[in-house]
Short mmCIF file of all heavy atoms in Angstrom, two decimals:
data_model
loop_
_atom_site.label_atom_id
_atom_site.label_comp_id
_atom_site.label_asym_id
_atom_site.label_seq_id
_atom_site.Cartn_x
_atom_site.Cartn_y
_atom_site.Cartn_z
N VAL A 761 11.59 20.08 -2.61
CA VAL A 761 10.29 20.52 -2.11
C VAL A 761 10.45 21.77 -1.30
O VAL A 761 9.72 22.74 -1.38
CB VAL A 761 9.57 19.43 -1.32
CG1 VAL A 761 8.36 19.96 -0.56
CG2 VAL A 761 9.14 18.29 -2.24
N LEU A 762 11.58 21.86 -0.53
CA LEU A 762 11.85 23.07 0.24
C LEU A 762 12.17 24.26 -0.66
O LEU A 762 11.79 25.38 -0.42
CB LEU A 762 13.01 22.82 1.24
CG LEU A 762 12.63 21.88 2.44
CD1 LEU A 762 13.80 21.72 3.38
CD2 LEU A 762 11.42 22.44 3.21
N LYS A 763 12.84 23.97 -1.82
CA LYS A 763 13.09 25.07 -2.77
C LYS A 763 11.74 25.56 -3.30
O LYS A 763 11.56 26.75 -3.53
CB LYS A 763 13.94 24.52 -3.91
CG LYS A 763 15.42 24.44 -3.59
CD LYS A 763 16.26 24.20 -4.86
CE LYS A 763 17.76 24.05 -4.50
NZ LYS A 763 18.22 22.68 -4.28
N ARG A 764 10.83 24.62 -3.55
CA ARG A 764 9.49 25.04 -4.09
C ARG A 764 8.78 25.90 -3.05
O ARG A 764 8.06 26.85 -3.42
CB ARG A 764 8.71 23.73 -4.41
CG ARG A 764 9.20 23.02 -5.65
CD ARG A 764 8.55 21.67 -5.88
NE ARG A 764 9.05 21.01 -7.02
CZ ARG A 764 8.59 21.23 -8.31
NH1 ARG A 764 7.62 22.09 -8.53
NH2 ARG A 764 9.14 20.57 -9.30
N ILE A 765 8.81 25.51 -1.76
CA ILE A 765 8.21 26.31 -0.72
C ILE A 765 8.86 27.69 -0.61
O ILE A 765 8.15 28.70 -0.56
CB ILE A 765 8.31 25.60 0.66
CG1 ILE A 765 7.44 24.34 0.64
CG2 ILE A 765 7.93 26.51 1.83
CD1 ILE A 765 7.66 23.43 1.85
N HIS A 766 10.20 27.68 -0.67
CA HIS A 766 10.97 28.91 -0.63
C HIS A 766 10.49 29.88 -1.78
O HIS A 766 10.31 31.04 -1.56
CB HIS A 766 12.42 28.57 -0.78
CG HIS A 766 13.37 29.76 -0.57
ND1 HIS A 766 13.81 30.46 -1.66
CD2 HIS A 766 13.95 30.27 0.53
CE1 HIS A 766 14.60 31.43 -1.21
NE2 HIS A 766 14.71 31.35 0.08
N SER A 767 10.36 29.32 -2.99
CA SER A 767 9.95 30.06 -4.11
C SER A 767 8.48 30.58 -4.00
O SER A 767 8.20 31.72 -4.39
CB SER A 767 10.03 29.17 -5.39
OG SER A 767 9.55 29.83 -6.49
N ALA A 768 7.64 29.79 -3.36
CA ALA A 768 6.24 30.18 -3.19
C ALA A 768 6.03 31.27 -2.15
O ALA A 768 5.05 32.05 -2.21
CB ALA A 768 5.37 28.98 -2.75
N LEU A 769 7.04 31.45 -1.27
CA LEU A 769 7.00 32.50 -0.23
C LEU A 769 7.38 33.81 -0.81
O LEU A 769 8.26 33.93 -1.61
CB LEU A 769 7.94 32.15 0.92
CG LEU A 769 7.44 31.01 1.87
CD1 LEU A 769 8.63 30.63 2.78
CD2 LEU A 769 6.26 31.47 2.74
N ARG A 770 6.70 34.84 -0.26
CA ARG A 770 7.10 36.25 -0.59
C ARG A 770 8.39 36.49 0.23
O ARG A 770 8.71 35.75 1.17
CB ARG A 770 6.08 37.20 -0.13
CG ARG A 770 4.76 37.08 -0.96
CD ARG A 770 3.72 38.12 -0.48
NE ARG A 770 2.56 38.10 -1.37
CZ ARG A 770 1.31 38.18 -1.01
NH1 ARG A 770 1.01 38.36 0.27
NH2 ARG A 770 0.36 38.10 -1.89
N LEU A 808 19.22 26.32 1.02
CA LEU A 808 18.42 27.36 0.46
C LEU A 808 19.13 28.68 0.65
O LEU A 808 19.85 28.85 1.60
CB LEU A 808 17.02 27.44 1.22
CG LEU A 808 16.16 26.22 1.09
CD1 LEU A 808 14.92 26.33 1.98
CD2 LEU A 808 15.73 26.00 -0.38
N ASP A 809 18.94 29.60 -0.31
CA ASP A 809 19.57 30.93 -0.18
C ASP A 809 18.78 31.81 0.70
O ASP A 809 17.51 31.95 0.56
CB ASP A 809 19.63 31.57 -1.56
CG ASP A 809 20.72 30.91 -2.45
OD1 ASP A 809 21.67 30.39 -1.85
OD2 ASP A 809 20.53 30.94 -3.64
N GLY A 810 19.44 32.45 1.70
CA GLY A 810 18.81 33.47 2.48
C GLY A 810 17.63 32.96 3.32
O GLY A 810 16.51 33.43 3.21
N VAL A 811 17.92 32.02 4.18
CA VAL A 811 16.93 31.48 5.12
C VAL A 811 17.41 31.64 6.53
O VAL A 811 18.57 31.32 6.76
CB VAL A 811 16.63 30.03 4.82
CG1 VAL A 811 15.93 29.36 5.96
CG2 VAL A 811 15.75 29.94 3.54
N TRP A 835 10.91 28.90 9.86
CA TRP A 835 11.99 29.62 9.19
C TRP A 835 11.46 30.68 8.27
O TRP A 835 10.27 30.69 7.94
CB TRP A 835 12.91 28.62 8.39
CG TRP A 835 12.23 27.68 7.37
CD1 TRP A 835 11.77 26.43 7.61
CD2 TRP A 835 12.05 27.92 5.98
NE1 TRP A 835 11.30 25.88 6.46
CE2 TRP A 835 11.47 26.74 5.45
CE3 TRP A 835 12.33 29.02 5.15
CZ2 TRP A 835 11.13 26.63 4.13
CZ3 TRP A 835 12.01 28.90 3.76
CH2 TRP A 835 11.42 27.70 3.29
N LYS A 837 12.12 33.39 4.91
CA LYS A 837 12.77 33.75 3.68
C LYS A 837 13.15 35.19 3.74
O LYS A 837 12.29 36.08 3.84
CB LYS A 837 11.88 33.44 2.50
CG LYS A 837 12.40 33.87 1.13
CD LYS A 837 11.45 33.58 0.05
CE LYS A 837 11.94 34.08 -1.34
NZ LYS A 837 11.02 33.72 -2.45
#
Side-chain angles (χ1 to χ4, degrees):
V761 170
L762 289 180
K763 282 190 181 95
R764 290 172 179 276
I765 291 171
H766 186 269
S767 176
L769 285 168
R770 294 179 175 143
L808 299 174
D809 287 333
V811 161
W835 55 270
K837 176 181 177 176

